[in-house]
Amino acid sequence: RIGTFAWRVQAIAQNGQPIGQFSDREEFTLRPVSRQFALGVFGDSIMHGGGAISNAPSDFTYSLHAYFKTPARELARGGDTSGTTLGRFERDVVAFSPRMLIILTGTNSLRGGVEADEVINDLAEIAGKCRRNKIVPVFLTLPPINPERIRQVFHEPSAPGWQAEMQKVNRYILENLPHLDVAPLFADNHGVIPPYWATDGLHPDAKAKKAIGKLINQADLTVFK
């Protein structure tokens, strides 16, 4: 994970033939860090990169940890469900041993039709793994989605019962886990996230990440220790 890396992309048709030309070469450099990060960020693309029709994790404008006062290790992965987030805990979290972990996961599960109880079980297991590894977990409540915008942008349906299931998950977080309640910041009168906050209906944009970062910066995180 240390060094200078480059990438470029080219669209490929279903028959394997290229469509158009390769994009320009892009480079980024990762340098060694001599100290342990006190704070980690864990979850799906809502925690990194996603925003304004989705962006790469290298675009820090859309990364939540870009707005923290305290430097944080980015451990989120785009496309994660609560189950896949749980499944990579040992590999991606324990390896870096942050003292505190900011967690948001489960949105992809719920919009895909997974029931709240399954997501709740995954969150409970993540919390247990944190405690067993002497990591303080802080869960964020799940911001609402906007199914119509998701359909327009990604051409994907959202499970009809996502709203009720998300409310169950958020209620569990509020009543049972160390948490910060960010969901109310982004719900309109219909209980969905408006395009002002999330252009694609799924990923909170930069201004939303900044608002969540501000809430985290203002919170007394020592109460969770």
Side-chain angles (χ1 to χ4, degrees):
R1 301 193 183 202
I2 304 301
T4 298
F5 301 86
W7 61 273
R8 56 185 185 149
V9 296
Q10 182 183 41
I12 301 294
Q14 288 185 340
N15 63 6
Q17 296 301 308
I19 303 173
Q21 304 299 315
F22 272 103
S23 66
D24 293 338
R25 175 187 172 97
E26 296 283 349
E27 289 190 356
F28 64 96
T29 300
L30 299 178
R31 296 178 176 83
V33 177
S34 60
R35 59 181 173 80
Q36 178 191 35
F37 278 78
L39 193 61
V41 175
F42 193 49
D44 54 31
S45 58
I46 291 177
M47 298 294 269
H48 83 71
I53 322 299
S54 193
N55 287 269
S58 57
D59 189 344
F60 294 122
T61 301
Y62 297 95
S63 291
L64 179 60
H65 73 284
Y67 302 98
F68 290 174
K69 291 188 300 185
T70 302
R73 170 73 72 176
E74 176 63 77
L75 303 172
R77 185 178 70 175
D80 261 10
T81 62
S82 58
T84 56
T85 300
L86 169 64
R88 63 187 181 85
F89 186 92
E90 279 79 12
R91 185 192 70 200
D92 291 347
V93 176
V94 176
F96 293 105
S97 299
R99 292 193 290 274
M100 179 175 287
L101 193 64
I102 307 294
I103 305 160
L104 189 156
T105 188
T107 302
N108 289 325
S109 302
L110 297 172
R111 73 185 184 93
V114 174
E115 294 185 354
D117 287 346
E118 183 174 332
V119 174
I120 287 169
N121 288 337
D122 291 336
L123 299 184
E125 286 199 49
I126 291 172
K129 287 178 179 289
C130 283
R131 288 190 288 269
R132 289 191 292 275
N133 287 279
K134 296 181 172 54
I135 299 169
V136 178
V138 179
F139 289 83
L140 304 184
T141 52
L142 305 181
I145 62 173
N146 188 321
E148 179 58 23
R149 294 294 297 183
I150 291 174
R151 185 190 64 78
Q152 291 175 8
V153 174
F154 298 113
H155 309 291
E156 295 177 354
S158 300
W162 72 268
Q163 208 161 28
E165 297 300 290
M166 186 173 285
Q167 288 173 356
K168 292 178 185 177
V169 171
N170 281 344
R171 190 179 311 118
Y172 174 81
I173 293 172
L174 292 172
E175 294 177 355
N176 297 276
L177 299 173
H179 66 270
L180 292 173
D181 190 13
V182 304
L185 295 174
F186 307 114
D188 66 10
N189 293 333
H190 302 287
V192 301
I193 191 167
Y196 173 82
W197 288 118
T199 303
D200 61 19
L202 175 61
H203 303 101
D205 290 340
K207 54 183 170 290
K209 301 288 176 59
K210 187 174 182 179
I212 297 173
K214 181 179 179 180
L215 188 148
I216 292 172
N217 290 335
Q218 292 176 341
D220 180 8
L221 297 180
T222 61
V223 302
F224 299 116
K225 297 180 179 179

